[in-house]
Amino acid sequence: RQVNGLDASYSITFIGNQGNIPPVVVLAAENVTVSIEEVTDGFAPDNTFTIENLVEGAPYAVALATITAAGTGPSSSDVDSNYLHPIAGDTSLQQLGLGVVPNVASASVAPAQVEIENIVALSSSQIVVEFSTPIDNGDPISEYKVEWFSTDSTTQTETHNVTLVADPLSDTGVSGSFSLVFGSEATMAITDTTSASELATQVNNIVGIGNVEVSRTSSATAVEWQITFSSKFSGVDTGMVVNQENLVGAVVSLSSTSGVSPYQYGAIVASRSMSVDGMQYCGGTLDSVNVGACADGNPQSVSFVSEFESADNISGTFTIWSNGDESAAVAFDATAEEVQKAVLSVSTCNDLNVSRRDAGFGYEWIVNFNATCGAIEPFFLDGSRLGGPEATISTYSTVVVSSGAQKDDIDGLFYIVINGEATEELNHDASESEVKEALEALYSVGLVEVVRSDTDWYGYQWEVMFKVVEGDLSTFNALPVPNSWTGTGVTLRVRRPGGVAPNSLVIGAPLATQTVRVTGEIAVGDEGFALTFGSDTTSCLAIDSNASAVVTALSMLDDIDEVSVSVPEAGVETGSPFDRSFTVKFFGSYELVTVPQLTVSQCSGSGFDVVVDTLVDGTALAAFDATYKALEPDAEYFVIVTARNGHGYGVPSQAHVVSTPAVAATPTHPTSATLGLSYTDSSLDLLYAVPFFDGGDDIVEYRVELSTSPSFSDAVVFVDEIVREVQVISLNFDTEDGRGGTFAITWGGVTDDVAWNVTAEELATTLEDISGSHYFHQNPITVTRADVANGFEWTVVISVPAGQVSAIQTDATNIEGSNPLISSSVSTSGQADIVPGHYTYEIQRIVIEASSALSGNVTVSFEGAEVTFDVDSTDQQLKSLFEAVPTIHSVNVEKVIDSTEELVVSVQFTHLSHERVQGAGNVALLKVVDTSNLGGTSATVSVFEFVRGTDYKTTTLSGLEAGQMYYARVQAYSDAGAVSDYSNTASNFPRGQPDVPSNVAVSMVQEGSGYATDQLQVTWDPPVSDGGTPVEQYLVEWYTGSFVSEEQSITMMADGGTQEVQEVEITAASADFFGSFELTFEGETSIPISYNATASEFADALERLSTIGQVEVSRSTSTVRNSQSGFTWTVTFASRVADVEQLSATPVAEWSAADATLNVYTTTEGEH
């Protein structure tokens, strides 16, 4: 203080280091003048220090103490090592950065930018993206986010403006700080001097925010920061508020511009391997929440399983083939190390391990590859040199489901999904048999084996080996039942058998496609239908609605994201018949595991039918995403990948552009081409497997190139293609006079009458109804009709069912006209198997008919075991009853026709219990045992084969030269016309046993002037053919007496089978029939048979043929309309349980009568 008379001055020094504080306000007495002058601006110490040269990612603890003249104060306490930034609502000086500096766990920031290395379309709705692992910047990467959206989008990135405005009425200026709060996290202190880069660093350290960009502008009275959320593409606003309790002399306000979600935006998250209190997991669910796919990839696994009927005399070896290469022989009881050595000799990836365990009387060798190997092409096993009862060795795929928790408190239910089907709910500790039963109840699963074991984390592991399955195992998922699955840190994971390389993700699933078909005889004009998806139903749609109207109606339903609809341009004409299909494709992002089939109801009008057919199941590829997503066909997308660690998301990758095709992409190449696993001296068997991806369309053809040159300069092409069955119905008359009436069509046991001149369209519709395929989006049967002589010929092409189907049978009893002659024949047998090792399931039909309402039950048998079922049983009840038969392991059962007076039950055999090799093949017919409890007037029960089952398909390349090296490769052709690359090139040469040595001679051995009495000399020339391999040795044997050849007998026994039944029919328009005829069978012709031969005379004539064996014959009077005389002989081939040649009938001398006819029909085809 200084005093000068009445005046005094005071100099005040603020020693608290509080920065530039406001001027002191003095309250003075009256007549006292006080002035205040700021001599020196105060400023707070920086309170920051940069520690340099640290090890990236290493944990550090920081202690800070204060030093004064009195000495050094205590250090700050360590804080939680996971502490990275302030907590919202904590306004302590330390948290605000104005007191003791908080400790930081490590010198680290968000990850660096990801680089997309490859991106390509797999189908019209799928792409695969592969990306690099970026620098983690000191903190391990925990997950990746993959985002995509249409390039047609107008994107608008979310922005927030933070504006600080000084209070003009404040005499104290601006001081203090504020912070930005995001949920439970907040930035460090922000002052009016914080730069744009400093604020960007603060916000980027908020976990989950992602990368932001900040700009700053200022004026004399205000500062504005604009925060652009440059890595947020979803359009979902980021919640942000301001905490300005510690700000003096200014006010902070917020304004924002919302982001706009781009069209077709979607995202999936792929996690890295994580640990919860030591429990490792990657992907699956944690506490019932999906944590995404596993970005670390999936290691491929395959099991080699040897199986024997008993332990007697097991011996021999097998070999392993891959990509055309064969391993050395492996013993039947080889160790894991020996099998691993064999696999390594042929595998394209050597990072693998093999384990072995007992499997019945054989072994299971489990081959596990490292995930870095990606997808490995299939292996083939040659077990032809294994010895033992029923010896086989096969490759199988195994899925592993595992649960775990941090405490022993897992409870609740889960279920399994595969190919759109879901099992019943399973308890958390479900037994092996319960899981097996649940899976085999699904239509896509035929045979599984389940092994359950405990895990180290209070849960269970179920290893499910699939022996017969039609579903795609990449869709397999185990999911918690909502609000049921509980436990502390409870997890549920699935390890699928397919290999997936790290940082490789498939976006999208096969495009869910359904059709809605409306048909009617006469359009009135008021017909309408409504579609239901989940629990929501559309408004009423007219049957002649255009595509836009259906899209609009479906898009209004809550659970539908995006759909496209196509429909024929032609509408429905009032008063005319109609048949119209709407094709609906579901794309976008759905919160569903599988897209349910639309259900349909008639909402106006009557007298028409409307059905829904699913062409492509919409099921999530669980290996990459737990819910269904699909890209739009014929569209262009941006794809972006971002990495995340403990500091949040890093800088997004550069956006890459990819286009989806309109229909299908090019298939990937066929896999594992193998030549000569089986061979002769003039042939080589070719094996190959399907492509990893079919491009989104059916593969309908494989082309094999075979050449003697590795450059394929002289290649010969062989084609394996799907062949549709073609059958021909022919009707002819002697003249056109008086033609009329109807004829009966019988197919698969179901009969209907059609007009003698039925049109092609009408016959196609009749066959569609008979087949039970009326629910398809279009008739899978096409018919053309041609005029032939005095009648017609109908050519029937059958697409569904695929394969060799039963012959269509005809009956001309009710046809009128001059000598009507009707016949049906198979022009081209169908073929559905085009890949070696594939097979077609046998389908049989049980047909129950009556002239009044059906009731009661029926008993049928299979291989001696009986099945009794009620006519009102459900499909699932029927399936369970048939699978209770000891020799039937799995069947699929469906009622294809279920009306009051007619029931047609379709039984598809997928696996028989006594089969070692997959597939039921061509099995014996079911037999009708008891109909005494069946109600209904004139009720009948019959069994018919509808689709003939096949054994494993083999592809044999014949007519080859022994010893010549051949090269083979394969291409796949899709239905859309896309052609794959070639498979690997496989090579081998035909070989067989050598011929007998030629010019063999035995002579005395000269000894001196005579001959040795104890020696003989054998000489010979090489064999004419060495069989394809050089002769290495000769075996010389001698003996003193004549030898006796060993004889062994092989007894074969068969149960079941079907005997062929044929009918020979003669008719005449007058009663003066006279003469005889001959029958020819397999090249031999019978003696003349009289027109009125008895059944025994007829049988005797046939049994004289050496080619026919024993027959059973019955005779009845012909029932053909206008026939005045004639007979029908029914011939059962009793000793030929097989499909035999049809008899050929020829009239001989003195054959006479008015309008005489002689025909042969096959009424029941024989089968083994």
Side-chain angles (χ1 to χ4, degrees):
R1 187 182 72 164
Q2 293 181 354
V3 179
N4 183 11
L6 296 178
D7 296 334
S9 63
Y10 298 85
S11 178
I12 304 172
T13 302
F14 296 87
I15 62 175
N17 292 330
Q18 296 179 14
N20 186 19
I21 66 176
V24 174
V25 177
V26 179
L27 298 177
E30 190 176 347
N31 299 324
V32 176
T33 301
V34 179
S35 63
I36 300 172
E37 179 184 0
E38 186 176 54
V39 178
T40 304
D41 285 340
F43 61 91
D46 189 13
N47 285 354
T48 61
F49 180 79
T50 301
I51 305 173
E52 298 179 340
N53 300 319
L54 301 182
V55 176
E56 184 178 81
Y60 289 92
V62 178
L64 186 65
T66 304
I67 302 174
T68 67
T72 302
S75 297
S76 61
S77 300
D78 289 347
V79 297
D80 185 348
S81 61
N82 291 321
Y83 173 77
L84 298 178
H85 39 74
I87 305 300
D90 187 344
T91 58
S92 67
L93 292 179
Q94 175 161 319
Q95 296 287 47
L96 293 174
L98 298 181
V100 177
V101 174
N103 293 12
V104 177
S106 62
S108 56
V109 293
Q113 188 177 40
V114 175
E115 180 181 348
I116 295 178
E117 297 178 334
N118 183 48
I119 187 168
V120 65
L122 295 177
S123 72
S124 64
S125 60
Q126 298 170 281
I127 61 175
V128 61
V129 56
E130 299 168 349
F131 51 90
S132 65
T133 300
I135 298 171
D136 63 14
N137 287 332
D139 194 46
I141 293 171
S142 60
E143 66 184 36
Y144 295 94
K145 180 167 63 174
V146 182
E147 300 170 281
W148 62 92
F149 50 88
S150 171
T151 57
D152 291 337
S153 306
T154 301
T155 58
Q156 179 173 300
T157 307
E158 176 186 359
T159 61
H160 285 260
N161 295 319
V162 181
T163 306
L164 183 150
V165 178
D167 184 354
L169 302 178
S170 174
D171 296 327
T172 61
V174 179
S175 62
S177 63
F178 66 94
S179 62
L180 301 176
V181 181
F182 301 86
S184 63
E185 302 176 80
T187 64
M188 304 281 274
I190 304 169
T191 70
D192 58 337
T193 61
T194 297
S195 66
S197 61
E198 290 171 337
L199 182 56
T201 299
Q202 295 265 33
V203 177
N204 282 334
N205 274 333
I206 301 296
V207 177
I209 290 298
N211 191 65
V212 301
E213 298 172 357
V214 179
S215 62
R216 181 180 185 274
T217 58
S218 62
S219 64
T221 59
V223 179
E224 183 174 271
W225 298 266
Q226 185 177 73
I227 305 173
T228 302
F229 292 80
S230 55
S231 64
K232 290 203 66 174
F233 305 102
S234 65
V236 178
D237 285 345
T238 303
M240 184 180 83
V241 297
V242 63
N243 181 346
Q244 49 188 326
E245 293 178 359
N246 296 293
L247 182 64
V248 179
V251 175
V252 175
S253 61
L254 303 178
S255 63
S256 65
T257 300
S258 296
V260 176
S261 181
Y263 176 61
Q264 281 299 293
Y265 173 83
I268 57 176
V269 173
S271 61
R272 298 288 306 279
S273 292
M274 290 175 276
S275 175
V276 177
D277 290 341
M279 180 175 63
Q280 293 289 329
Y281 72 95
C282 186
T285 63
L286 172 63
D287 290 327
S288 295
V289 177
N290 176 45
V291 296
C294 182
D296 293 340
N298 187 74
Q300 180 153 326
S301 66
V302 63
S303 291
F304 304 155
V305 181
S306 62
E307 297 175 90
F308 305 90
E309 188 68 28
S310 70
D312 299 332
N313 302 316
I314 296 176
S315 62
T317 62
F318 64 94
T319 58
I320 303 168
W321 291 71
S322 179
N323 286 287
D325 295 327
E326 182 182 23
S327 73
V330 181
F332 74 95
D333 58 352
T335 64
E337 291 74 19
E338 290 168 337
V339 171
Q340 181 165 319
K341 180 180 179 181
V343 175
L344 286 170
S345 70
V346 296
S347 175
T348 55
C349 184
N350 294 331
D351 194 354
L352 61 92
N353 65 79
V354 177
S355 60
R356 190 192 81 170
R357 63 186 176 191
D358 293 343
F361 298 111
Y363 298 97
E364 178 186 0
W365 293 272
I366 305 167
V367 185
N368 287 308
F369 291 86
N370 190 290
T372 56
C373 297
I376 302 295
E377 296 193 6
F379 292 91
F380 297 116
L381 303 179
D382 181 6
S384 60
R385 292 176 176 82
L386 280 177
E390 299 276 348
T392 62
I393 187 165
S394 307
T395 62
Y396 296 119
S397 295
T398 299
V399 173
V400 180
V401 179
S402 58
S403 62
Q406 298 169 50
K407 296 181 180 180
D408 188 9
D409 59 356
I410 300 178
D411 197 5
L413 305 170
F414 70 98
Y415 64 100
I416 293 172
V417 175
I418 179 171
N419 237 47
E421 291 186 275
T423 66
E424 62 183 17
E425 294 177 352
L426 294 162
N427 202 40
H428 74 281
D429 58 354
S431 66
E432 295 171 349
S433 60
E434 288 171 337
V435 174
K436 176 181 175 69
E437 182 179 349
L439 283 169
E440 290 179 353
L442 304 180
Y443 277 89
S444 58
V445 179
L447 176 63
V448 298
E449 300 296 340
V450 181
V451 176
R452 193 192 79 170
S453 58
D454 295 340
T455 67
D456 293 334
W457 295 96
Y458 308 112
Y460 296 97
Q461 175 174 284
W462 295 269
E463 296 177 72
V464 183
M465 180 188 293
F466 286 86
K467 289 190 170 181
V468 179
V469 61
E470 287 194 335
D472 180 359
L473 292 183
S474 67
T475 67
F476 185 106
N477 210 359
L479 298 166
V481 173
N483 303 316
S484 168
W485 186 255
T486 61
T488 305
V490 62
T491 63
L492 188 61
R493 284 198 59 211
V494 174
R495 189 176 75 237
R496 300 164 190 86
V500 179
N503 294 2
S504 176
L505 296 173
V506 173
I507 298 173
L511 187 65
T513 305
Q514 300 178 20
T515 59
V516 180
R517 183 181 179 188
V518 291
T519 56
E521 295 296 331
I522 299 176
V524 176
D526 64 344
E527 298 92 345
F529 62 94
L531 299 173
T532 299
F533 186 86
S535 59
D536 290 339
T537 301
T538 67
S539 57
C540 196
L541 293 162
I543 61 173
D544 63 347
S545 295
N546 58 27
S548 177
V550 180
V551 168
T552 299
L554 286 172
S555 297
M556 295 179 67
L557 304 186
D558 290 340
D559 292 334
I560 286 183
D561 186 9
E562 299 286 347
V563 294
S564 66
V565 175
S566 59
V567 64
E569 291 184 5
V572 176
E573 185 176 343
T574 301
S576 299
F578 56 92
D579 187 342
R580 204 159 185 255
S581 288
F582 302 83
T583 301
V584 184
K585 297 180 179 180
F586 300 81
F587 59 95
S589 298
Y590 288 71
E591 295 302 317
L592 302 166
V593 175
T594 185
V595 175
Q597 181 168 289
L598 294 164
T599 57
V600 64
S601 58
Q602 296 183 7
C603 50
S604 65
S606 61
F608 70 100
D609 294 320
V610 55
V611 293
V612 177
D613 180 25
T614 294
L615 303 185
V616 180
D617 287 317
T619 302
L621 291 184
F624 304 99
D625 197 350
T627 57
Y628 174 80
K629 296 177 178 66
L631 304 182
E632 183 179 9
D634 196 20
E636 192 175 64
Y637 286 87
F638 287 120
V639 179
I640 295 164
V641 183
T642 313
R644 176 177 178 170
N645 62 13
H647 295 275
Y649 286 107
V651 179
S653 70
Q654 293 293 322
H656 281 239
V657 177
V658 63
S659 297
T660 56
V663 178
T666 300
T668 57
H669 63 77
T671 53
S672 286
T674 299
L675 187 64
L677 187 148
S678 297
Y679 55 84
T680 69
D681 59 357
S682 62
S683 68
L684 294 168
D685 276 5
L686 176 67
L687 296 174
Y688 53 88
V690 299
F692 285 136
F693 292 96
D694 60 13
D697 202 6
D698 292 335
I699 303 296
V700 296
E701 179 181 310
Y702 289 92
R703 293 192 182 183
V704 178
E705 292 187 8
L706 183 70
S707 176
T708 58
S709 167
S711 65
F712 291 87
S713 56
D714 60 348
V716 177
V717 177
F718 301 85
V719 176
D720 259 330
E721 61 183 339
I722 291 178
V723 177
R724 293 173 173 83
E725 177 110 357
V726 180
Q727 299 190 23
V728 177
I729 300 172
S730 298
L731 172 63
N732 199 14
F733 302 83
D734 286 349
T735 68
E736 294 186 359
D737 299 334
R739 295 181 302 179
T742 62
F743 64 92
I745 292 283
T746 301
W747 191 31
V750 181
T751 301
D752 202 353
D753 291 325
V754 296
W756 70 276
N757 60 348
V758 61
T759 66
E761 293 77 12
E762 291 168 341
L763 181 57
T765 300
T766 299
L767 290 171
E768 179 186 25
D769 291 338
I770 288 176
S771 70
S773 300
H774 52 271
Y775 57 86
F776 286 107
H777 67 290
Q778 61 185 26
N779 192 344
I781 300 162
T782 59
V783 179
T784 57
R785 191 187 78 171
D787 294 340
V788 176
N790 295 320
F792 301 102
E793 183 174 271
W794 295 267
T795 300
V796 182
V797 181
I798 304 166
S799 299
V800 178
Q804 185 178 354
V805 302
S806 64
I808 298 171
Q809 298 174 358
T810 55
D811 184 348
T813 299
N814 295 319
I815 289 184
E816 300 172 353
S818 175
N819 188 23
L821 179 61
I822 190 167
S823 64
S824 59
S825 62
V826 176
S827 172
T828 304
S829 292
Q831 173 182 292
D833 307 325
I834 60 174
V835 178
H838 285 198
Y839 49 86
T840 300
Y841 293 137
E842 171 97 358
I843 300 177
Q844 297 180 18
R845 286 184 162 188
I846 304 170
V847 180
I848 307 174
E849 297 175 297
S851 57
S852 64
L854 289 168
S855 62
N857 60 55
V858 173
T859 300
V860 297
S861 70
F862 181 78
E863 296 186 351
E866 295 184 354
V867 178
T868 300
F869 63 90
D870 293 333
V871 294
D872 58 356
S873 299
T874 66
D875 291 353
Q876 189 59 49
Q877 288 171 334
L878 290 168
K879 177 179 171 70
S880 298
L881 288 170
F882 277 96
E883 289 182 349
V885 173
T887 56
I888 294 178
H889 184 84
S890 55
V891 294
N892 290 328
V893 184
E894 179 186 10
K895 290 182 175 180
V896 294
I897 297 177
D898 187 8
S899 64
T900 303
E901 299 174 358
E902 184 178 29
L903 173 64
V904 179
V905 178
S906 173
V907 182
Q908 181 188 60
F909 294 82
T910 59
H911 195 83
L912 302 185
S913 297
H914 50 69
E915 291 180 322
R916 289 290 176 189
V917 179
Q918 300 176 43
N922 186 19
V923 304
L925 274 179
L926 295 160
K927 295 180 178 179
V928 180
V929 175
D930 185 7
T931 62
S932 60
N933 294 319
L934 178 63
T937 304
S938 303
T940 61
V941 182
S942 306
V943 176
F944 300 87
E945 183 182 58
F946 193 51
V947 177
R948 176 160 295 185
T950 62
D951 295 323
Y952 261 32
K953 175 181 171 58
T954 58
T955 298
T956 301
L957 307 177
S958 304
L960 308 183
E961 179 183 344
Q964 171 67 54
M965 183 64 74
Y966 289 91
Y967 302 86
R969 61 187 184 184
V970 189
Q971 279 183 300
Y973 286 68
S974 75
D975 200 24
V979 184
S980 75
D981 290 336
Y982 287 106
S983 68
N984 61 291
T985 297
S987 60
N988 216 322
F989 58 94
R991 53 201 181 275
Q993 293 179 331
D995 289 344
V996 175
S998 58
N999 301 323
V1000 179
V1002 181
S1003 60
M1004 303 288 289
V1005 177
Q1006 191 166 1
E1007 190 177 83
S1009 59
Y1011 294 94
T1013 60
D1014 60 352
Q1015 298 180 52
L1016 290 173
Q1017 180 173 285
V1018 183
T1019 61
W1020 65 86
D1021 290 334
V1024 174
S1025 171
D1026 60 12
T1029 55
V1031 175
E1032 297 177 349
Q1033 300 178 41
Y1034 290 94
L1035 174 65
V1036 181
E1037 297 178 288
W1038 61 94
Y1039 40 88
T1040 59
S1042 60
F1043 62 86
V1044 177
S1045 299
E1046 179 177 348
E1047 293 184 3
Q1048 297 183 2
S1049 62
I1050 300 174
T1051 302
M1052 298 182 65
M1053 300 179 64
D1055 184 22
T1058 301
Q1059 297 168 328
E1060 178 106 359
V1061 180
Q1062 297 182 18
E1063 290 183 351
V1064 180
E1065 181 185 67
I1066 63 171
T1067 66
S1070 62
D1072 57 349
F1073 218 129
F1074 190 80
S1076 58
F1077 58 91
E1078 296 174 337
L1079 294 174
T1080 301
F1081 183 79
E1082 293 185 354
E1084 294 188 19
T1085 301
S1086 72
I1087 61 174
I1089 301 172
S1090 172
Y1091 79 96
N1092 61 352
T1094 65
S1096 60
E1097 291 170 339
F1098 196 102
D1100 181 65
L1102 284 177
E1103 289 179 350
R1104 288 172 180 265
L1105 304 179
S1106 65
T1107 56
I1108 205 164
Q1110 182 181 356
V1111 297
E1112 298 172 358
V1113 178
S1114 62
R1115 192 189 79 168
S1116 60
T1117 302
S1118 176
T1119 58
V1120 176
R1121 179 175 291 185
N1122 295 329
S1123 175
Q1124 299 299 314
S1125 62
F1127 299 98
T1128 298
W1129 292 269
T1130 300
V1131 182
T1132 300
F1133 291 75
S1135 59
R1136 298 286 296 272
V1137 186
D1139 184 12
V1140 301
E1141 178 182 295
Q1142 183 167 288
L1143 294 163
S1144 174
T1146 305
V1148 294
E1150 300 179 348
W1151 178 261
S1152 66
D1155 296 332
T1157 66
L1158 173 60
N1159 296 306
V1160 179
Y1161 305 100
T1162 297
T1163 58
T1164 302
E1165 290 187 355
E1167 61 180 348
H1168 295 296

